Amino acid sequence: MTASDRARPLGPGATIGVLGGGQLGRMMAVAARQMGYRIIVLDPSARCPTAQVSDGVVVGALDDAQAARHLASQVDVITLDTEHVPADVLAELEPIAPVRPNASVLRTIQDRLVQKQFLDRIGLPQANWAPADDVHAALAKVGRPAILKVRRAGYDGKGQVRIDPETDLGSVWQSMGGELAILEAFVDFQREISVVIARGFDGAMAMYVPVENQHRNHILDTTIAPARITPAIAVKAEAIARHIAQEIKLIGLLAVEMFVTRDGDVLVNELAPRPHNSGHLTIDACMTSQFEQQLRAICGLPPGSVDQFRPAAMVNLLGDLWAAGEPDWMAACLLPHVRLHLYGKSDARPGRKMGHITALAPNADEALTMAVRARSALTR
Ligand code: AMP
């Protein structure tokens, strides 16, 4: 493929390759199919959530370069369902088909240490942090309480340990199994927010309003949009997202998770180079969903409008809800202005994201009440 071919927009009818077949790929595939694109996915399972709604599947592990090359040879552009694809594999695919976001973006984001160094270099505020090769030295710099986080492959709080004043360092270190880690000061935040931003290959950007997130056991539990923050904090958050998208030379979608401190400062927590759980409510609440936006950005279409029709809330449905059998879907669907999304996963393990519910209402608090009520109705 020549450079001028790569700068050409890919219209409907083009084939998109997705690395990883989870729910993010699935929801992007649904958006892609609505617009007449074809989808082929690489995943270890032929029945993964994305494959169920795709035109084709290449069965293989995400670090299987040969399988990834096989996918690349059949598609016009490649994108990601997860950032846990080795950047070296992406670099191998780039001569075959454009990879958006590319290996360089992944190299910056995949390793928490490199990500934090990048954010420092471009002058963005973060919690005080230090590499934890020597955890005693790192603690002396960062202080307690702190959080030790593995550098790679950590998500939804996996590979994270909190270090309180009384925590015994030896046992913490052992529980990390010798993995490389960073240490980060614990932030006594007022709220957690996130921004999803898209950037196309002509540099055009589109950004959703900041949303507000609540986690339970380190896993996202609820999101409301818009976030309950002042306009000044929203402006800070948006400027941060724009700055990162530009500096990292993003093509595709990026989620920026941030802490709002009690003093009204905005600190970057972490980056994800893909659609984000906190953007799921854009499917029901916005003119263009984050999944269509990802598609537009990687295919060179103009970004779609991010207008939000009504305030909205999203609650995640984890596998725990299946503990006493199949949830009562009818009860949730009885509620007005509530929509159910399930990801086609057959094995409902505790903590596993199985689906979500979105509710729309005159204000975000009411939307959250409605979404939580719908979720409670599932197991009553
Ligand atoms: P992460 O995977 O780093 O986004 O962490 C998952 C969640 O853990 C975050 O969304 C926060 O709720 C919490 N968390 C992570 N790092 C910190 C921190 N430095 N201070 C306070 N809470 C944190």
Side-chain angles (χ1 to χ4, degrees):
M1 196 179 271
T2 65
S4 70
D5 280 343
R6 282 168 185 263
R8 209 166 27 87
L10 295 166
T15 304
I16 296 164
V18 189
L19 301 177
Q23 64 269 19
L24 303 179
R26 175 187 178 95
M27 288 183 268
M28 198 205 65
V30 169
R33 287 195 140 194
Q34 261 172 358
M35 291 180 74
Y37 288 88
R38 297 181 70 249
I39 293 277
I40 304 182
V41 57
L42 170 69
D43 193 85
S45 162
R47 288 295 301 154
C48 66
T50 309
Q52 293 167 26
V53 294
S54 292
D55 297 274
V57 53
V58 174
V59 177
L62 294 182
D63 59 358
D64 178 344
Q66 195 183 345
R69 279 198 304 272
H70 182 51
L71 173 100
S73 67
Q74 302 173 61
V75 303
D76 298 298
V77 62
I78 297 169
T79 193
L80 310 171
D81 157 273
T82 165
E83 59 276 33
H84 302 305
V85 181
D88 290 346
V89 171
L90 293 192
E92 267 197 57
L93 305 183
E94 277 166 6
I96 310 173
V99 182
R100 296 172 178 152
N102 65 15
S104 146
V105 171
L106 267 267
R107 277 204 184 95
T108 304
I109 290 184
Q110 250 166 9
D111 181 333
R112 280 189 199 271
L113 178 84
V114 181
Q115 186 184 128
K116 290 194 160 293
Q117 287 170 333
F118 162 74
L119 293 168
D120 277 349
R121 196 166 61 246
I122 66 170
L124 291 181
Q126 325 182 54
N128 200 4
W129 72 278
D133 309 351
D134 176 346
V135 76
H136 293 280
L139 258 185
K141 177 173 177 229
V142 166
R144 299 184 189 221
I147 302 193
L148 193 63
K149 300 182 174 181
V150 292
R151 279 171 55 177
R152 283 180 175 275
Y155 64 95
D156 287 345
K158 294 187 177 73
Q160 296 194 11
V161 187
R162 181 168 163 161
I163 301 181
D164 285 312
E166 66 283 358
T167 306
D168 169 46
L169 269 192
S171 58
V172 167
W173 199 236
Q174 260 180 354
S175 74
M176 302 289 277
E179 280 228 35
L180 290 173
I182 56 115
L183 189 76
E184 195 179 290
F186 185 81
V187 181
D188 179 25
F189 51 79
Q190 178 202 122
R191 306 176 189 284
E192 285 191 79
I193 59 171
S194 54
V195 169
V196 172
I197 186 165
R199 185 171 178 274
F201 47 80
D202 60 353
M205 291 196 264
M207 181 171 21
Y208 295 91
V209 296
V211 301
E212 181 175 334
N213 303 318
Q214 279 196 336
H215 292 78
R216 196 187 280 178
N217 300 327
H218 291 281
I219 302 175
L220 184 67
D221 184 43
T222 66
T223 297
I224 61 174
R228 294 166 298 185
I229 52 176
T230 63
I233 290 176
V235 166
K236 278 190 212 174
E238 287 163 359
I240 286 173
R242 222 178 280 116
H243 190 49
I244 296 171
Q246 251 157 10
E247 290 292 326
I248 209 166
K249 301 188 179 67
L250 173 75
I251 301 179
L253 215 64
L254 175 81
V256 184
E257 293 183 44
M258 292 171 260
F259 299 125
V260 180
T261 68
R262 298 197 181 273
D263 302 330
D265 290 329
V266 178
L267 307 179
V268 180
N269 171 24
E270 67 173 359
L271 311 179
R274 52 167 170 76
H276 194 253
N277 198 166
S278 67
H280 290 359
L281 51 71
T282 59
I283 298 176
D284 304 306
C286 295
M287 188 70 211
T288 310
S289 75
Q290 64 167 347
F291 302 99
E292 179 177 332
Q293 208 70 282
Q294 177 188 21
L295 188 76
R296 285 173 174 248
I298 63 167
C299 289
L301 305 186
S305 159
V306 293
D307 285 359
Q308 188 175 336
F309 304 127
R310 294 183 83 192
M314 186 265 346
V315 297
N316 268 335
L317 305 178
L318 301 185
D320 311 61
L321 287 168
W322 275 249
E326 191 70 16
D328 182 357
W329 304 120
M330 302 304 152
C333 292
L334 272 175
L335 293 165
H337 311 301
V338 162
R339 295 189 78 190
L340 174 67
H341 299 255
L342 290 171
Y343 307 147
K345 299 181 183 178
S346 49
D347 186 10
R349 292 189 299 275
R352 189 174 195 208
K353 290 175 180 170
M354 302 294 290
H356 68 269
I357 281 175
T358 312
L360 304 189
N363 63 65
D365 286 310
E366 270 182 56
L368 182 60
T369 303
M370 191 65 74
V372 169
R373 191 181 302 159
R375 182 169 63 183
S376 305
L378 294 175
T379 53
R380 201 169 291 130

